[in-house]
């Protein structure tokens, strides 16, 4: 077995000199012992794609896959993760998730195979957002996109983490109007020129929407908690905390939800409704709590946002709100300190709730260079160590997209685990090699 080093940190790869690393679509062949502190390799695609040089230090780029127990003396077999990402995380009691849709990340056999090989949980990226349940006549119905995704999950024993029931964005403006057919002359989403509905009206609309979602899913796929219904969790409320402190709203976003309710009670109602319909009315009687209910937000790695988030959670606990989990999106860049991500998880441990990394992606900046992909690898490796340290509380870890080109942040630089050809990015070697202790960024 060839020993390689990166900036003085030793480790081993599952390859003989000038031989392929096993378990990859590409072959990685060692061609030079050391150069500028890194060991270099060529890659050759099975399908005959051209060779290119890489750096073995990138073995941990998708370091979601590198177990802490790996040591340089471990054998090659111990580093062969034929179970993909899910093989790594399921052993820790954590679901391995990806955000995708039937029409994007599942629209070819190769993409389906990649998802099935690596993940055991899917979050619908768009189809289950509030606007996805209504047609042009304001009639509620399950879309074909949602149905296809649920069927794929049910047929393939994949869990669904639903997203999202109550959100200020991608909810039709008419939903908040006193007269839903009032002509809104303001084209800005989340703002309407029409008079707003009162709190009582909004309470009923929210209740009805959440019940309709639960009923529609259970009608077609069976009760929640049954073998045929793949939904195991839901983002009940999303992005409700303001980005900056606002004393007038107690730190909450001044959304149409907040305005029509004249406060944050819409959050409390949403969890009560979700618990009633997902865990009681439309649940399998043999399962007393089949759907884990999350609140979710972004920038929780920032101390100010996190403080307001925690304050809201304190109020929810005091009010007896039936929430089960705390979500952290973690849309980050290479300049975000990974210690901030760990602080977010650590600070929320006191609530004794499940936590989830719900929308992970790490942009490199542009142009995307090999050096940036290596640094991205180091970043994911550090995040992976955090995940292992907090595994006891983590419900799932979800990357927000399957391939770079489908990411909503693609213009910011290659944020995901696979490139547009479904090739494992260099650090995905970590699925089948023993990762060295990784040099600091």
């Amino acid at each position: 077995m060839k020993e390689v080093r990166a900036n003085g940190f030793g480790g081993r790869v599952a390859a003989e000199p000038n031989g392929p690393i096993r378990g990859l679509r590409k072959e990685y062949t060692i061609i030079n012992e050391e150069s500028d502190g890194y060991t270099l390799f060529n890659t050759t695609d099975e399908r005959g794609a051209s060779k290119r040089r890489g750096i073995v230090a990138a073995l941990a780029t998708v370091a979601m896959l590198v177990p802490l127990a790996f040591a340089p003396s471990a054998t090659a077999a111990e580093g062969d993760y034929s179970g993909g990402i899910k093989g790594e995380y399921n052993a820790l009691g954590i679901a391995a998730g990806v955000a995708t849709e039937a029409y994007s990340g599942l629209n070819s056999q190769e993409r389906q195979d990649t998802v099935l090989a690596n993940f055991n949980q899917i979050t619908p990226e768009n189809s289950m957002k509030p606007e996805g349940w209504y047609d042009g006549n304001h009639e509620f119905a399950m879309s074909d996109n949602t149905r296809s995704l649920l069927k794929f999950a049910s047929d393939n024993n994949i869990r669904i983490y639903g997203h999202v029931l109550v959100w200020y964005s991608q909810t039709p403006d008419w939903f908040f109007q006193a007269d839903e057919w009032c002509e809104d002359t303001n084209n800005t989403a989340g703002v309407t020129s029409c008079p707003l509905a009162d709190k009582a009206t909004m309470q009923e609309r929210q209740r009805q929407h959440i019940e309709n979602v639960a009923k529609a899913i259970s009608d077609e796929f069976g009760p929640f908690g049954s073998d045929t219904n793949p939904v195991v969790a839901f983002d009940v409320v999303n992005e409700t905390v303001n980005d900056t402190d606002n004393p007038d709203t107690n730190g909450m976003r001044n959304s149409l939800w907040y305005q029509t309710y004249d406060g944050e009670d819409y959050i409390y109602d949403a969890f009560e409704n979700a618990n009633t319909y997902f865990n009681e009315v439309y649940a399998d009687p043999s399962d007393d709590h089949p759907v884990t209910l999350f609140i979710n937000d972004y920038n929780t790695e920032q101390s100010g946002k996190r403080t307001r988030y925690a304050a809201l959670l304190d109020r929810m606990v005091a009010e007896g709100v039936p929430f089960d989990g705390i979500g952290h999106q973690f849309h980050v860049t290479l300049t975000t300190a990974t210690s901030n991500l760990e602080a977010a998880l650590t600070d929320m441990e006191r609530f004794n709730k499940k936590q989830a990394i719900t929308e992970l992606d790490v942009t490199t900046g542009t142009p995307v260079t090999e050096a940036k992909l290596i640094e991205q690898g180091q970043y994911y490796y550090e995040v992976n160590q955090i995940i292992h340290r907090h595994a006891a509380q983590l419900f799932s870890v979800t990357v927000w997209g399957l391939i770079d080109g489908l990411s909503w942040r693609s213009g910011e630089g290659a944020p995901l685990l696979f490139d547009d050809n479904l090739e494992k990015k260099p650090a995905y070697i970590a699925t089948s090699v023993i990762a060295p202790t990784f040099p600091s960024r």
Side-chain angles (χ1 to χ4, degrees):
M1 184 178 295
K2 179 78 170 179
E3 182 173 354
V4 300
R5 293 186 176 274
N7 285 349
F9 291 86
R12 293 187 176 189
V13 299
E16 299 300 325
N18 300 315
I21 295 175
R22 297 188 297 275
L24 299 176
R25 178 170 294 143
K26 296 179 180 180
E27 293 181 353
Y28 290 78
T29 303
I30 305 299
I31 63 170
N32 186 22
E33 179 67 16
E34 290 193 11
S35 176
D36 297 327
Y38 293 99
T39 300
L40 305 180
F41 58 87
N42 273 344
T43 64
T44 305
D45 193 298
E46 276 182 352
R47 296 170 297 196
S50 63
K51 294 182 179 181
R52 60 177 179 264
R53 290 166 75 89
I55 299 180
V56 169
L59 293 179
T61 298
V62 185
M64 296 174 69
L65 312 169
V66 185
L68 284 175
F70 278 176
S73 60
T75 66
E78 290 171 330
D80 182 4
Y81 270 74
S82 57
I85 298 170
K86 64 185 179 182
E88 162 70 358
Y89 281 120
N90 291 178
L92 300 172
I94 303 170
V98 62
T100 193
E101 294 285 358
Y103 57 80
S104 55
L106 299 172
N107 64 354
S108 72
Q109 188 62 53
E110 189 176 15
R111 290 181 178 182
Q112 290 180 18
D113 291 345
T114 300
V115 168
L116 292 173
N118 287 283
F119 305 102
N120 69 319
Q121 182 173 287
I122 293 174
T123 298
E125 193 169 8
N126 285 295
S127 62
M128 286 192 189
K129 291 173 179 175
E131 67 182 10
W133 294 96
Y134 296 92
D135 64 19
N137 294 318
H138 305 182
E139 294 294 327
F140 182 95
M142 181 185 291
S143 70
D144 289 340
N145 291 328
T146 295
R147 182 176 294 105
S148 296
L149 185 65
L150 289 167
K151 186 177 188 307
F152 176 84
S154 182
D155 290 348
N156 290 282
N157 197 29
I158 298 285
R159 298 153 44 123
I160 290 289
Y161 182 121
H163 178 78
V164 51
L165 296 173
V166 172
W167 190 24
Y168 78 93
S169 183
Q170 289 182 252
T171 301
D173 288 348
W174 61 257
F175 195 89
F176 301 98
Q177 295 172 182
D179 175 4
E180 64 181 74
W181 294 105
C182 171
E183 184 178 355
D184 180 9
T185 59
N186 190 316
N187 293 324
T188 303
V191 180
T192 178
S193 60
C194 298
L196 295 178
D198 60 23
K199 181 176 180 178
T201 299
M202 289 306 300
Q203 285 179 309
E204 176 56 21
R205 285 181 184 173
Q206 185 200 92
R207 185 206 64 75
Q208 189 174 58
H209 173 74
I210 293 174
E211 180 179 13
N212 285 344
V213 171
K215 185 177 186 300
I217 295 172
S218 64
D219 280 353
E220 294 199 32
F221 293 91
F224 296 96
S226 66
D227 291 341
T228 55
N229 189 324
V231 177
V232 298
F234 233 106
D235 283 332
V236 176
V237 178
N238 191 45
E239 300 179 356
T240 190
V241 179
N242 204 43
D243 290 339
T244 58
D245 194 18
N246 185 350
D248 292 338
T249 61
N250 204 17
M252 297 297 99
R253 184 185 298 276
N254 189 27
S255 65
L256 291 179
W257 276 113
Y258 191 94
Q259 292 172 42
T260 53
Y261 261 75
D262 193 26
E264 66 187 34
D265 287 2
Y266 73 93
I267 301 168
Y268 308 165
D269 282 356
F271 280 98
E272 293 286 356
N273 288 326
N275 194 51
T276 295
Y277 295 114
F278 286 88
N279 288 320
E280 296 176 9
V281 176
Y282 298 104
D284 189 316
S286 66
D287 193 330
D288 62 357
H289 201 86
V291 180
T292 304
L293 306 178
F294 279 86
I295 187 167
N296 189 44
D297 222 312
Y298 64 92
N299 285 355
T300 61
E301 68 277 6
Q302 298 179 9
S303 60
K305 182 74 170 276
R306 185 165 67 251
T307 296
R308 291 186 291 279
Y309 198 23
L312 169 63
L313 298 177
D314 279 326
R315 296 193 296 272
M316 291 169 63
V317 169
E319 292 289 333
V321 176
F323 74 104
D324 306 310
I326 303 163
H328 308 266
Q329 293 184 14
F330 289 167
H331 294 295
V332 295
T333 71
L334 293 179
T335 61
T336 307
T338 55
S339 60
N340 292 348
L341 278 64
E342 182 155 29
L345 295 173
T346 300
D347 286 358
M348 298 305 179
E349 286 178 347
R350 66 183 177 86
F351 292 102
N352 293 317
K353 304 286 186 180
K354 278 296 184 182
Q355 298 194 66
I357 297 174
T358 56
E359 304 183 19
L360 179 65
D361 49 29
V362 183
T363 55
T364 63
T366 56
V368 178
T369 64
E370 190 168 83
K372 287 179 179 177
L373 290 176
I374 294 164
E375 186 177 1
Q376 184 189 53
Q378 294 168 316
Y379 196 100
Y380 269 108
Y381 183 82
E382 293 170 16
V383 171
N384 186 59
Q385 309 312 296
I386 293 168
I387 290 167
H388 277 79
R389 288 194 289 271
H390 295 268
Q393 274 204 332
L394 283 171
F395 179 86
S396 59
V397 175
T398 297
V399 288
W400 201 249
L402 182 62
I403 61 174
D404 287 333
L406 291 177
S407 169
W408 71 293
R409 303 180 73 200
S410 59
E412 301 171 48
L416 300 175
L417 310 187
F418 296 90
D419 70 16
D420 291 356
N421 295 315
L422 283 176
E423 300 295 354
K424 299 164 184 173
K425 292 164 70 174
Y428 201 94
I429 301 171
T431 61
S432 59
V433 304
I434 309 307
T437 301
F438 213 82
S440 299
R441 290 186 296 140

